[in-house]
Amino acid sequence: MSADSAKLSISSSPLSAEELRKMNDYWRAANYLSAGQIYLYANPLLRQPLKLEHVKPRLLGHWGTTPGLNFIYVHCNRVIKKFDLNVIFVCGPGHGGPGMVANTYLEGTYTEIYTYIQQNEEGLRKLFKQFSFPGGIPSHAAPETPG
């Protein structure tokens, strides 16, 4: 699709309520996964009341960059799907690692590369624990973050 034909097919009408709901749900999930990587050592689904031992003793990663990256990611995905585009999202360097990991985890590509991080509660615990933790992954966007 050429840039001109893409411009012609973009509607000036607002997104539907269903599109907005799905995008908001995705964005909120990405933000939770991002915050969980920065802060949580255990109890990823908060099934127990939060305790000090669930929180990492040393917090690294910048929350401030993450919601914006997650916002851009969800909107890029919407446009990619709508127009069947071949696009690559380039991020970094910087401490946006939690956002990039969260989004690739949500879409399933993180688990394709790192098969020991499954999309279940145990996989989520491993995902959270490894972030900016000894033997884990760095807090910034890097070749291994997201993968």
Side-chain angles (χ1 to χ4, degrees):
M1 174 183 289
S2 73
D4 290 332
S5 62
K7 286 179 190 174
L8 293 174
S9 62
I10 295 176
S11 171
S12 61
S13 63
L15 299 175
S16 71
E18 181 66 6
E19 283 178 303
L20 287 173
R21 184 194 62 76
K22 286 179 178 179
M23 290 173 63
N24 186 50
D25 288 351
Y26 182 96
W27 185 61
R28 291 175 58 203
N31 285 334
Y32 178 77
L33 292 176
S34 300
Q37 289 174 79
I38 295 169
Y39 294 101
L40 291 179
Y41 176 76
N43 193 17
L45 296 177
L46 301 176
R47 293 191 191 275
Q48 305 164 25
L50 192 59
K51 297 177 184 174
L52 188 57
E53 59 262 21
H54 299 150
V55 179
K56 290 180 179 177
R58 184 169 179 245
L59 305 176
L60 293 171
H62 289 270
W63 172 250
T65 62
T66 302
L69 288 170
N70 291 339
F71 183 82
I72 292 167
Y73 205 98
V74 71
H75 282 279
C76 282
N77 274 346
R78 179 182 64 83
V79 173
I80 289 166
K81 285 181 170 246
K82 182 173 183 171
F83 298 110
D84 192 28
L85 301 176
N86 290 318
V87 175
I88 186 169
F89 187 95
V90 178
C91 171
H95 289 275
M100 297 300 91
V101 170
N103 282 283
T104 56
Y105 182 78
L106 278 174
E107 68 189 22
T109 54
Y110 196 87
T111 299
E112 286 177 19
I113 304 287
Y114 301 106
T115 56
Y116 58 93
I117 306 285
Q118 292 295 302
Q119 290 185 313
N120 56 29
E121 188 170 356
E122 178 60 19
L124 198 53
R125 187 192 62 75
K126 289 177 182 178
L127 183 83
F128 286 4
K129 181 181 176 183
Q130 75 174 357
F131 182 79
S132 199
F133 201 78
I137 60 173
S139 64
H140 53 279
E144 67 275 22
T145 309

